[in-house]
Amino acid sequence: MIERKAKIFNIQKYNMYDGPGVRTIVFFKGCPLRCKWCSNPESQKKGFQVLFKESQCVNCGACVEVCPSGVHRLSASGLHEFAEGSTCIGCRACESACLQKALSVVGEVKTISELMEVVEEDRSFYEMSGGGLTLGGGEALMQPEAAAALLMVCKQRGINTAIETCGYAKPEALLKVAEFTDLFLFDLKHMDSDRHHQLTGVRNERILKNLTLLLENRHNVQVRLPLLKGINDSQKELTELLAFLKPFKGYRNFKGIDLLPYHKLGVNKYRQLGWEYPIEGDPSLSEADLDRIEGWMASHDFPVTVVRH
């Protein structure tokens, strides 16, 4: 029998923010959304990608010599650049050849057994804290079979499971994964579908239907709201959000709302990918803004928490 494999781009241990207790996060590669504030832009594409730290490059050409796909080249002026139309195959030859550590390849293919070896390393922490495994991304539901297989093995071994999701997936994929998921960390980016499309590249009707599906089928859901000043923090937007969630407020499986303040931790990754950062200005909210929004939601009898990293 052929074992399931997942394409991931990172594994983070000792996380305390994405589910209960101490957690290991496995970040899946590929995402159907293109959120302008995405802090993991290297997660968006399914394929392998190369991060390039220009300030560390000495333009030696070692990567050009070893790359079998012609991804790297030196310009007429002798500077490193990426060849248009080339595709990284993930061999990591350039990464090994670069003595200056200016290159790193994003993306790895791992079997479920290989991932479980890493997850099991911290079982004692999970047992002490009520923690476990969280699937992040990217979007794990773009690889539903691999995601379900990894979550199923965790459940068989008594490890708590959670998944961070944008909710943009086929309902059957969502419900398949839900069989083995203790908690969904479900993002709501914007309630207006046209504005949602402008900000993320997709409309939100499918997302809202999937959230309703999970809640009505009694799966545990923590709603997460990325907050950006002037983008989705208006009184109108937040009122529409609470109006949508109000019918589920009394559900035991509705675990409340997390507010995720905007941060700039992913900005340098855009430069390393050769992309322009889509957000202009600084949409960060002040502590006073966050306290005001948290207090206002709490006054409407919603359990709400500001997640401060």
Side-chain angles (χ1 to χ4, degrees), residues 229-244:
K229 194 173 187 65
I231 293 178
N232 64 352
D233 68 326
S234 70
Q235 190 76 19
K236 178 178 181 295
E237 168 69 14
L238 297 175
T239 299
E240 290 177 1
L241 171 76
L242 294 193
F244 179 83

Side-chain angles (χ1 to χ4, degrees), residues 154-281:
C154 282
K155 293 306 297 175
Q156 290 171 344
R157 299 186 187 183
I159 297 173
N160 180 274
T161 59
I163 180 169
E164 297 176 305
T165 180
C166 68
Y168 194 83
K170 293 180 179 180
E172 53 268 29
L174 185 70
L175 292 177
K176 175 64 175 177
V177 169
E179 291 182 48
F180 314 109
T181 302
D182 292 311
L183 177 66
F184 282 88
L185 303 167
F186 197 108
D187 279 6
L188 286 183
K189 321 282 190 181
H190 207 286
M191 294 305 295
D192 180 85
S193 191
D194 290 337
R195 185 65 172 141
H196 193 282
H197 185 270
Q198 293 171 0
L199 294 169
T200 71
V202 304
R203 300 183 66 82
N204 71 1
E205 287 86 358
R206 175 184 286 187
I207 293 168
L208 297 179
K209 286 181 180 178
N210 279 337
L211 176 56
T212 300
L213 181 67
L214 288 175
L215 288 167
E216 290 184 343
N217 281 275
R218 296 302 193 261
H219 296 290
N220 293 324
V221 178
Q222 186 99 20
V223 171
R224 309 193 106 185
L225 178 63
L227 273 181
L228 294 88
K229 194 173 187 65
I231 293 178
N232 64 352
D233 68 326
S234 70
Q235 190 76 19
K236 178 178 181 295
E237 168 69 14
L238 297 175
T239 299
E240 290 177 1
L241 171 76
L242 294 193
F244 179 83
L245 294 175
K246 186 176 179 180
F248 309 111
K249 190 165 61 171
Y251 285 31
R252 293 181 62 184
N253 59 309
F254 173 55
K255 301 301 181 181
I257 302 169
D258 282 343
L259 304 180
L260 308 180
Y262 167 82
H263 59 73
K264 294 183 175 181
L265 298 179
V267 174
N268 285 334
K269 297 178 186 178
Y270 285 83
R271 298 193 189 102
Q272 293 173 28
L273 288 167
W275 299 355
E276 288 189 15
Y277 189 60
I279 293 285
E280 296 181 1

